[in-house]
């Protein structure tokens, strides 16, 4: 039972009921009822409880959903028959959906590789100025996703001309300058053909927060955080280092087996899901994603920061984080990479 699991884990962790209640922002008596099984937590509360207590969220949600089904069906003579029919329908629907999503993703990856091959045969037409302009756009858009209000032209004036923009905060200026420097660091790693490791990640994050938050730059968080407007609740701080070790182990295990675009998307999603830093997680995760893409000969996937595109980005990310539906995010990143490759070819006139 969910209540038993919650109570046992809470006691093992040395937590009081009121501490759990405070985290959920509910009355302590409600948590007591959760543990006793006389009240059911909501789906969101189950996820929060799993994260706060270090329980397996997937296992807890499955348990919660099974209880919901039993409440509806009861233990009547028809219950097993209904479940059997429902299982057949779910299996058929899941297989069909997975096949359609897999086919769609593979078609995108095939197009991406075609444009990549086309671009590689015309690299002699490339120039520093083209790369510089596209990197400027990337810095502008990545910061815009996070709420930076600088325009593309203002971003250019700040990082390339050293001009201070009246009416804009020092933080916004530093975000533009720091991101450009971080892109430079990514390109250096690519030029050196260096593998990606924890030291690189921490240095990249330190660049992002340089002059903004020296105390937390390049350091894993030691406090709990929440993401405004998201159902995803990042893990407790005591779990961060272990989950980051798992992330790098996953990367080393899968880097030679996954398509580079899927590898880049997955690594970015896994990183931002752990949310290992106080601030700068989004920018850092997108830089890591593009590091992987550049290492494999692709171009920067520049996610636009307008409202519509930003919402698509966050929604597909949340689907991966909360509902474990990762295909939407992979498709989103693959489409962004395809768009970037097509534009690059158009600029070169090929």
């Amino acid at each position: 039972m969910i209540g038993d699991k919650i109570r046992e884990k809470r006691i093992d962790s040395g937590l009081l009921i009121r501490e759990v209640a405070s985290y959920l922002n509910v009355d302590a008596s409600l948590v007591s009822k959760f543990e006793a099984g006389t009240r059911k937590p909501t789906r969101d509360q189950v996820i929060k409880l799993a994260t706060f207590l270090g329980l397996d969220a997937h296992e807890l949600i499955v348990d919660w959903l099974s209880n919901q089904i039993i409440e509806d069906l009861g233990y009547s003579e028809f219950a097993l028959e209904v479940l059997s029919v429902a299982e057949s329908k779910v299996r058929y629907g899941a297989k069909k959906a997975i096949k359609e999503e897999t086919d769609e993703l593979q078609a995108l990856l095939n197009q991406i590789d075609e444009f990549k091959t086309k671009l590689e045969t015309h690299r002699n037409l490339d120039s520093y100025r083209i790369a510089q302009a596209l990197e400027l756009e990337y810095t502008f858009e990545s910061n815009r996703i996070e709420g930076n209000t600088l325009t593309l032209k203002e971003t250019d004036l700040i990082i390339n001309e050293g001009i201070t923009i009246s009416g804009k905060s020092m933080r916004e200026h530093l975000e533009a300058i720091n991101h450009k420097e971080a892109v430079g660091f990514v390109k250096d790693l690519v030029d050196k053909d260096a593998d990606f490791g924890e030291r690189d990640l921490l240095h990249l994050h330190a660049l992002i927060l340089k002059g903004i938050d020296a105390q937390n730059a390049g350091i894993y968080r030691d406090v709990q955080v929440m993401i405004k407007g998201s159902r995803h609740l990042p893990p407790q701080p005591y779990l961060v280092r272990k989950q980051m070790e798992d992330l790098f182990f996953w990367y080393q295990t899968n880097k030679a087996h996954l398509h580079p675009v899927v590898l880049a998307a997955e690594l970015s999603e896994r990183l931002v899901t752990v949310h290992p830093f106080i601030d700068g997680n989004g920018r850092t995760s997108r830089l890591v994603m593009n590091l992987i893409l550049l290492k494999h000969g692709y171009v920067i996937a520049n996610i636009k920061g307008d409202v519509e595109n930003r919402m698509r980005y966050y929604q597909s990310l949340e689907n991966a984080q909360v509902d474990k539906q990762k295909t939407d995010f992979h498709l989103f990143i693959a489409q962004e990479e395809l768009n970037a490759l097509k534009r690059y070819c158009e600029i070169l006139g090929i």
Side-chain angles (χ1 to χ4, degrees):
M1 295 291 290
I2 288 180
D4 294 334
K5 293 177 182 178
I6 293 171
R7 182 178 61 255
E8 289 171 7
K9 189 63 177 179
R10 175 183 63 79
I11 293 172
D12 288 345
S13 301
L15 294 169
L16 300 174
I17 287 180
R18 60 178 173 79
E19 292 177 299
V20 178
S22 176
Y23 181 76
L24 294 179
N25 197 27
V26 298
D27 191 85
S29 63
L30 185 58
V31 176
S32 295
K33 291 176 181 178
F34 290 163
E35 293 187 354
T38 56
R39 281 287 296 274
K40 296 182 304 180
T42 65
R43 183 189 180 100
D44 286 346
Q45 287 171 337
V46 169
I47 294 171
K48 288 183 179 180
L49 283 164
T51 305
F52 184 63
L53 297 172
L55 289 164
D56 186 322
H58 177 82
E59 180 182 317
L60 216 58
I61 284 292
V62 169
D63 193 0
W64 181 81
L65 287 171
S66 66
N67 289 338
Q68 296 282 91
I69 293 170
I70 290 172
E71 281 191 13
D72 289 339
L73 294 179
Y75 298 96
S76 71
E77 59 185 292
F78 299 108
L80 289 177
E81 184 179 351
V82 170
L83 285 173
S84 178
V85 173
E87 181 183 14
S88 298
K89 291 180 178 179
V90 169
R91 287 186 182 278
Y92 173 76
K95 286 180 180 178
K96 183 179 178 182
I98 290 171
K99 185 180 185 305
E100 289 174 351
E101 291 172 347
T102 302
D103 289 347
E104 185 180 359
L105 179 58
Q106 189 57 57
L108 269 178
L109 296 177
N110 291 341
Q111 289 185 70
I112 286 169
D113 287 338
E114 287 175 10
F115 274 93
K116 175 175 176 280
T117 300
K118 183 179 180 181
L119 182 60
E120 286 173 344
T121 60
H122 293 83
R123 281 293 188 182
N124 60 306
L125 300 176
D126 205 351
S127 73
Y128 169 74
R129 288 193 176 277
I130 292 174
Q132 186 182 44
L134 293 175
E135 288 164 16
L136 171 66
E137 290 182 3
Y138 172 44
T139 288
F140 161 65
E141 296 289 3
S142 192
N143 281 335
R144 185 157 71 128
I145 287 174
E146 305 300 332
N148 189 297
T149 64
L150 293 172
T151 65
L152 178 61
K153 186 58 181 176
E154 288 170 342
T155 303
D156 179 32
L157 291 173
I158 290 170
I159 65 179
N160 292 319
E161 305 295 334
I163 294 175
T164 300
I165 308 299
S166 176
K168 301 296 182 178
S169 69
M170 178 58 68
R171 181 186 178 106
E172 289 184 306
H173 284 72
L174 288 173
E175 285 176 348
I177 295 167
N178 291 354
H179 196 276
K180 180 190 177 182
E181 190 173 345
V183 171
F185 176 66
V186 165
K187 292 171 67 179
D188 285 343
L189 289 176
V190 173
D191 291 341
K192 294 174 183 175
D193 196 25
D195 198 8
F196 173 65
E198 183 179 48
R199 181 180 296 180
D200 303 315
L201 172 66
L202 296 178
H203 183 71
L204 197 58
H205 181 259
L207 291 175
I208 290 295
L209 287 192
K210 187 171 69 171
I212 297 174
D213 186 355
Q215 183 178 354
N216 293 301
I219 298 172
Y220 292 146
R221 61 182 169 87
D222 58 1
V223 297
Q224 177 64 336
V225 293
M226 292 186 71
I227 306 170
K228 289 189 296 184
S230 174
R231 291 182 294 141
H232 171 60
L233 187 65
Q236 288 291 309
Y238 69 88
L239 296 171
V240 168
R241 186 164 294 280
K242 173 61 168 62
Q243 292 196 12
M244 290 305 296
E245 289 176 2
D246 293 343
L247 181 145
F248 284 106
F249 178 78
W250 177 89
Y251 170 65
Q252 291 299 329
T253 303
N254 291 276
K255 64 181 181 179
H257 305 290
L258 292 177
H259 187 285
V261 174
V262 175
L263 177 68
E266 183 74 9
L267 186 59
S268 175
E269 180 268 309
R270 285 172 178 260
L271 176 58
V272 80
T273 295
V274 177
H275 219 77
F277 306 110
I278 289 285
D279 191 15
N281 292 278
R283 294 177 180 88
T284 302
S285 69
R286 291 188 291 276
L287 283 161
V288 169
M289 175 184 74
N290 281 307
L291 167 63
I292 302 303
L293 290 172
L294 291 172
K295 277 173 64 67
H296 289 86
Y298 296 87
V299 300
I300 287 175
N302 187 10
I303 300 169
K304 303 298 186 293
D306 60 276
V307 174
E308 182 179 351
N309 216 54
R310 186 167 67 235
M311 288 305 297
R312 286 180 59 232
Y313 169 60
Y314 282 138
Q315 186 58 60
S316 63
L317 187 57
E318 188 173 276
N319 289 344
Q321 293 171 326
V322 179
D323 301 321
K324 308 305 177 186
Q325 301 294 328
K326 300 199 176 201
T327 306
D328 283 351
F329 188 69
H330 294 169
L331 286 168
F332 178 82
I333 298 303
Q335 186 62 61
E336 292 296 321
E337 177 61 18
L338 179 59
N339 294 342
L341 282 164
K342 285 181 176 179
R343 185 173 180 223
Y344 217 115
C345 288
E346 288 173 2
I347 292 171
L348 295 180
I350 58 176

